[in-house]
């Protein structure tokens, strides 16, 4: 993934799709952290973006839980 996810794009997804997206992003985050630890990470800003994307999706999941 090269761009951050927008909340309005994610709102149309189902809970299962959002959960799958969180799992995908957590796997990417693990890989990025591994690259950072070994000194191979090219863009450290991607770490921050992935963490924010995970938080954004979790916020939407919490909103959907209330409905």
């Amino acid at each position: 993934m090269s761009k951050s996810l927008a909340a309005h794009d994610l709102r149309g997804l189902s809970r299962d799709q959002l959960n799958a997206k969180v799992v995908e992003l957590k796997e990417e985050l693990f890989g990025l952290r591994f690259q950072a630890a070994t000194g191979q990470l090219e863009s450290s800003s991607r770490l921050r973006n992935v963490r924010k994307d995970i938080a954004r999706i979790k916020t939407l999941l919490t909103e959907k839980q209330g409905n």
Side-chain angles (χ1 to χ4, degrees):
M1 306 197 127
S2 60
K3 295 178 80 176
S4 290
L5 304 171
H8 67 281
D9 293 334
L10 296 171
R11 289 190 195 279
L13 300 177
S14 70
R15 290 184 56 81
D16 291 335
Q17 290 172 321
L18 289 173
N19 284 324
K21 192 66 113 167
V22 168
V23 170
E24 176 186 327
L25 288 170
K26 283 187 176 184
E27 289 173 359
E28 182 180 355
L29 184 60
F30 176 80
L32 290 171
R33 284 181 174 157
F34 189 84
Q35 287 178 3
T38 59
Q40 299 174 350
L41 185 63
E42 293 179 16
S43 174
S44 60
S45 65
R46 185 65 189 140
L47 274 169
R48 182 176 186 208
N49 289 340
V50 171
R51 283 197 316 264
K52 284 188 172 198
D53 288 342
I54 292 170
R56 189 174 292 120
I57 293 172
K58 286 187 174 187
T59 300
L60 289 173
L61 285 169
T62 302
E63 286 178 4
K64 286 182 182 250
Q65 185 178 11
N67 292 336

